[in-house]
Each structure stands twice: as structure tokens, then as C-alpha cells.
Amino acid sequence: MIPRKKIRIGDLLVEHKVVSEIQLQNALVEQRKSGHKLGRTLVALGYISEDQLLDYLSRQLQLPFIDLKHYKYNPDTVRLLPETVARRYRVIALDSSNDAVLVGMADPTDIFAYDEIARVLKRPLREAVVRESDLLRTIDTVYRRTEEISSLAEELSEELSETDFDLAQLAETSDVSEAPVVKLLQSLFEDAVQVGASDIHIEPDEAVLRIRQRIDGMLHEQVMKEKRIAGALVSRLKLMSGLDISEKRLPQDGRFNIRVKGRTIDVRVSTMPIQHGESVVMRLLDQAGGMLELDHLGMPADVLARFRRSIHRPHGMVLVTGPTGSGKTTTLYGALNELNLPEVKIITVEDPVEYDLPRVNQVQVKPKIGLDFATVLRTALRQDPDIVLVGEIRDSETAEIALRASITGHLVLSTLHTNDAVSTAIRLIDMGAEGFMVATALQAIIAQRLVRRICISCVTEHPLEAREKAWVEGVLGESIDGVQFRRGTGCPHCNNTGYRGRVGVYEFLEMSPELTDTLRRNDTSAFAQLAGQSAGFRSLARSALDHARAGVTTLEEVLRVTGSSDQEFESLSVTAQRAAG
């Protein structure tokens, strides 16, 4: 094997006038502080973009550049390198032949990384340049913990039996880090964080234990035969959450924080007795991720501008609606993040408090001691707030207090579990709110869903069937000839689902004098008719179809999130076909 020569990337960049000598010296000073690679430091300081740096290295070193987003790698080949080596040296094995192993490197000038990889693989190397962010994402995808989880589950099962498991002994183990149950939980959390899971479900069945993770809104299942470990897992989670491990007949709720790969994860735990034991669902909240700004939520520019205008009004009510898991909390926290200024007093009433916000007075409701939404809301209004966030309007009492607060000079933000924006105002009236109060208070309603993005690594064209085309044209009211729809075929990048990541779909309804008048008259049917015809209004289905036409998501995903039934599908298809005929 030909020994590599050390290359000084900084000198090369200065020599070819990619960066200046002053910029290099500044980067070297910053590098000594951060300990990061020089290339990464130059990119972080804005002296050069990552793509410019990689393009330059590719040309200078005469190495190919590989875009991992579109590279069809073999997971078994990637695993030729141990995960610790891959992460430490920012390298990934991409292809293996008799002659050599093709490796992608974030920094191909790192001679120490090259030597260590060659030593580990014991094969000649062919190098390629890859983006570090894509490399780390691929490593997270490939080095899943599923095999490790199964192995630890089996190990734990061997240590336990149906009769001799001692909960107290496990809880008091002096060296808990060595306990298989703790190792299993660590692997579960690490795997969930790597793949971006929002929830972990632990469900004991009659003969097996099911562990499911919700990724991009869909559950992915892993089945274990070691059903006896369920009790140990649940007990350990209860101890971590401060719950009563002896109580198995009643549901319990708790939370704890855990450090995973240098990130602090807030875990909300819910237990529920089921036929074969206790089901546990854990919601994972990454505190290190920070609040999303409104600009980064993916709202269309016109919707974002109108939503911003609504939340910057001095008073009134703005509602965000949608089913559980549709991103309502993210939107509300994005709004609060923008409104959170020193001169503004904000109080939130939540169940539970999901993220800690500086300067914001956040209250966790506790119904067991009488601290419900209505009680906290009454008290909050005596605290001289400018803005009040009500986690959810669940009953008529909370609705009335929130409406009165918005009429008396406060901006009230809240959520409702309704299917669309149009039905939200009607739902408030159905809950017992007076029509004139809803008309006076309500400023805007935004309904939303999250649709899965097509994986860009395996995206392909997807010609529509005749009935699908007819349905789309029926919803849009226009021809889609020449529009190319897409889908994902499934690849290692997306765990063979064809989807990776999600994007929001929004339906925004801003109150107009005409709409307000219908509510004041309690004429809900006229309100529904006028709302669908109001200026700038686009339904959820149309908004989702915009993403499908742009190749961001699939028609199948549009049908799933908009709740279009087979009957509606066939009805619109037939109507459109008749109109075309």
C-alpha cells in the first residue's frame, strides 16, 4: 500500500486564493478553541461553503465526489467499519470489491484517518469526498440498534424467570450500568434518537413483546419472543419516572430526562394496564433541538404572512387545529418564540409543559388537585398578561373564559381537535359559546397536517391511474396534464419506506366582516359556505396536492392525511369523469 503524504488544506486554500491568509489565521485561532477540523471551522465562519470546500478538495486531490443522498449503498458494506471508527474519523465504507474498498471521507486530507481505516479494513482503499452532514445521517440510519436490542433482550430473559424476578433487587443494584435492563433501555433510546423517533411504544402481548417506534408519523415494529422482560422494562421506567412500581391496575403518567449521544431528551411516560401486562408509551422531546422559528415550519409564504399578521394583533383569538401529532404544538411554540420579548408578558396553561421557554410563565395543569385549565386561566388573567396560550380548549368553561379574555384586550392562542379550519368556529358554538362572542373574539384559524416527504434517494416517477387523475382534477378543478407525480421505491436511506422527513400542510381561514356576521347570527351553514369561498382560502386537500404536484410527497400520502374515504374518492372520480365526457 502506498503511504499517504500529509496535506495542509489551509495552505492549499490560501495558495489557490480560495480563502485569504487573514481568514486562515482567524480560522486557526477558532480551531484551537473549538477543537474542530480546519475545514469545518472555515465553513462555520462563513469563509467558504461546504459544497465549495468539497468541490475544491475533489478537484485538487483528483477524488470523486459522492452525494450520499442519492447513493445506493449496501448496509452490510457500510458495517465493514465499526461504528466507533466511522464516527470518530468521519468515514463510511461504500463499496467493496476484490481490488479495494471505496470509502467516503468528510476530510480526505486526514492522513491519520486514512491509516487507521486501512489498518482496520486490511484492504487497499479508494477514496471519495462526501458531505459530513450526509455521512453522519447515513451512519445513524445504518448502525441501528435493532440487533443489539434483540441481543440484550435475550440476555435479560436468561437472567429472569417468571418466578424469581426481584424488582427491589434490580432497583437497588449498586452497579446499575451493568444491569441488562438498563443496557436494553439505553439501546432503545439511542436507536430512537438516531432514527428521529417521536415515540416509543412497549406493548406486551400474549406470547411476545412488541416495541414500536413512531418515525415520521408511522409506527415501525420490532417483535421479541422474550415476553418475560416486559415487567422488568416497565418497572425500570416507572422508577426513572418517579411512579409507583407496585400499582399495576391504574394508568400513571410521569417524565424524566435522559442524556443520549450528548443530547438531553425529555421523556414523557404514560402507562396503561392491558390484558397481558402494562403498555408504556414514551414521547421523546429533544430539548437541544430548540424552538423552531416560524420561517422554518414550511408554511407557504402567503399563509405565513397572514398568520404573522394575526399573532401580532394586540388582542383576539388565534386557533391552531388538527389531530394529535399534526404539529400544532410546534406551530404554537414557533409563534411564542417570535412574540417572546422583554416588554411582553406571556403566560401559558399547558398539559403537559413540553418545552421550557425563557421569560414565559408556564403553568402545568393538575386536575387531581383542582388545578384545571379553567382555574389556571382565571388566575392567569389576574397576572396582567399580554398574551395567553391555552394548551387546549377542552370544555365550554375554558372556551368561555378564553373568549372573554380575547375580547378584553388579550391575545389568546390555543388549539382545538377539529378536522379543518371551517368546522372550528362551528365547534366552539356547539360547545356552548355564544355566537356573538365567537364572532367578536376569533381572528384566524389555521388547520394543519404533516405529510411525509418522498425520500430523495429513491424517488421515481409515478404515473397516475385514470381514477386517481380524475380525483385530483376533481379537487383542483383543473387539468393536470403534463404534471408528473412521484413516489419513493424504498432504499436503505429511508428504511425501505419510500419516505424520509415530513412537511406541513396548512389551511388558513382569516375572519372577514361577512364571516363574522354569519357567526353573530348563529348561521353556521352560511358560515361554512362563505368560508370555503373566502379570499385566499385553500383547503387541506388542495394544499397537500400542491406538495404532491411539486414532487414533495405522494398522492397516497395526500389521501391518508386528508382523510378522503374510498366513497369520496370514487364520487369525485366519477363526477370528474362525467364532466370530462
Side-chain angles (χ1 to χ4, degrees), residues 258-321:
I258 189 171
R259 294 279 294 175
V260 181
K261 295 184 175 295
R263 295 154 65 180
T264 300
I265 307 297
D266 185 22
V267 184
R268 285 174 17 207
V269 180
S270 173
T271 71
M272 182 177 68
I274 58 176
Q275 185 177 4
H276 300 291
E278 286 183 278
S279 166
V280 178
V281 175
M282 293 177 283
R283 169 65 56 88
L284 309 182
L285 299 170
D286 187 355
Q287 297 291 346
M291 294 299 104
L292 277 179
E293 296 181 1
L294 288 179
D295 292 317
H296 300 153
L297 293 181
M299 285 187 189
D302 60 323
V303 173
L304 178 59
R306 295 163 70 197
F307 181 62
R308 268 206 169 102
R309 186 168 63 242
S310 299
I311 64 173
H312 281 282
R313 287 174 176 152
H315 55 81
M317 177 180 282
V318 177
L319 295 175
V320 181
T321 75

Side-chain angles (χ1 to χ4, degrees), residues 97 123 139 244 254 382 491 517:
S97 64
R123 303 266 295 281
I139 287 175
D244 184 357
R382 294 195 289 269
C491 68
D517 186 57

Side-chain angles (χ1 to χ4, degrees), residues 395-449:
D395 52 59
S396 58
E397 187 178 12
T398 305
E400 183 177 350
I401 298 171
L403 286 167
R404 289 191 183 280
S406 61
I407 293 172
T408 56
H410 305 88
L411 176 66
V412 177
L413 307 177
S414 190
T415 71
L416 266 179
H417 285 283
T418 52
N419 290 328
D420 53 46
V422 176
S423 62
T424 302
I426 299 173
R427 171 71 185 280
L428 284 173
I429 294 175
D430 289 342
M431 290 174 70
E434 295 288 348
F436 74 89
M437 287 187 64
V438 177
T440 306
L442 199 55
Q443 298 289 342
I445 307 165
I446 185 166
Q448 63 182 76
R449 299 288 190 279

Side-chain angles (χ1 to χ4, degrees), residues 207-501:
V208 297
L209 174 65
R210 303 181 193 278
I211 295 181
R212 301 198 279 178
Q213 296 176 337
R214 191 174 295 280
I215 304 170
D216 292 337
M218 305 297 286
L219 287 171
H220 297 254
E221 183 176 82
Q222 182 176 0
V223 179
M224 300 180 182
K225 296 180 181 178
E226 296 81 11
K227 190 249 180 182
R228 66 177 66 180
I229 70 173
L233 280 178
V234 173
S235 297
R236 170 56 66 178
L237 289 168
K238 283 184 174 181
L239 287 170
M240 296 168 70
S241 310
L243 303 179
D244 184 357
I245 63 174
S246 64
E247 180 56 77
K248 299 181 180 180
R249 300 167 301 170
L250 296 173
Q252 298 186 67
D253 295 308
R255 68 193 302 170
F256 61 88
N257 289 329
I258 189 171
R259 294 279 294 175
V260 181
K261 295 184 175 295
R263 295 154 65 180
T264 300
I265 307 297
D266 185 22
V267 184
R268 285 174 17 207
V269 180
S270 173
T271 71
M272 182 177 68
I274 58 176
Q275 185 177 4
H276 300 291
E278 286 183 278
S279 166
V280 178
V281 175
M282 293 177 283
R283 169 65 56 88
L284 309 182
L285 299 170
D286 187 355
Q287 297 291 346
M291 294 299 104
L292 277 179
E293 296 181 1
L294 288 179
D295 292 317
H296 300 153
L297 293 181
M299 285 187 189
D302 60 323
V303 173
L304 178 59
R306 295 163 70 197
F307 181 62
R308 268 206 169 102
R309 186 168 63 242
S310 299
I311 64 173
H312 281 282
R313 287 174 176 152
H315 55 81
M317 177 180 282
V318 177
L319 295 175
V320 181
T321 75
T324 301
S326 60
K328 299 188 299 295
T329 301
T330 302
T331 299
L332 283 175
Y333 272 94
L336 284 186
N337 196 37
E338 182 163 312
L339 297 169
N340 188 10
L341 301 171
E343 61 269 24
V344 177
K345 170 91 168 186
I346 301 176
I347 299 178
T348 73
V349 188
E350 305 175 69
D351 184 22
V353 174
E354 300 206 18
Y355 292 98
D356 292 330
L357 290 171
R359 201 187 295 117
V360 175
N361 294 260
Q362 297 172 270
V363 183
Q364 164 76 57
V365 301
K366 298 176 181 177
K368 290 183 180 178
I369 61 172
L371 198 65
D372 54 21
F373 275 102
T375 302
V376 178
L377 191 51
R378 285 195 197 92
T379 305
L381 294 176
R382 294 195 289 269
Q383 293 276 313
D384 188 30
D386 297 293
I387 300 170
V388 178
L389 182 144
V390 184
E392 182 185 345
I393 296 178
R394 297 177 177 175
D395 52 59
S396 58
E397 187 178 12
T398 305
E400 183 177 350
I401 298 171
L403 286 167
R404 289 191 183 280
S406 61
I407 293 172
T408 56
H410 305 88
L411 176 66
V412 177
L413 307 177
S414 190
T415 71
L416 266 179
H417 285 283
T418 52
N419 290 328
D420 53 46
V422 176
S423 62
T424 302
I426 299 173
R427 171 71 185 280
L428 284 173
I429 294 175
D430 289 342
M431 290 174 70
E434 295 288 348
F436 74 89
M437 287 187 64
V438 177
T440 306
L442 199 55
Q443 298 289 342
I445 307 165
I446 185 166
Q448 63 182 76
R449 299 288 190 279
L450 293 174
V451 297
R452 292 181 292 171
R453 291 179 179 270
I454 299 172
C455 174
I456 62 173
S457 300
C458 59
V459 61
T460 185
E461 294 184 355
H462 173 54
L464 298 186
E465 298 177 3
R467 70 175 196 141
E468 292 175 329
K469 182 174 182 290
W471 182 84
V472 173
E473 291 180 341
V475 172
L476 295 177
E478 60 186 67
S479 171
I480 57 168
D481 289 339
V483 177
Q484 184 59 62
F485 286 76
R486 298 179 178 179
R487 68 185 307 173
T489 57
C491 68
H493 288 278
C494 58
N495 294 317
N496 295 311
T497 63
Y499 299 97
R500 187 169 184 178

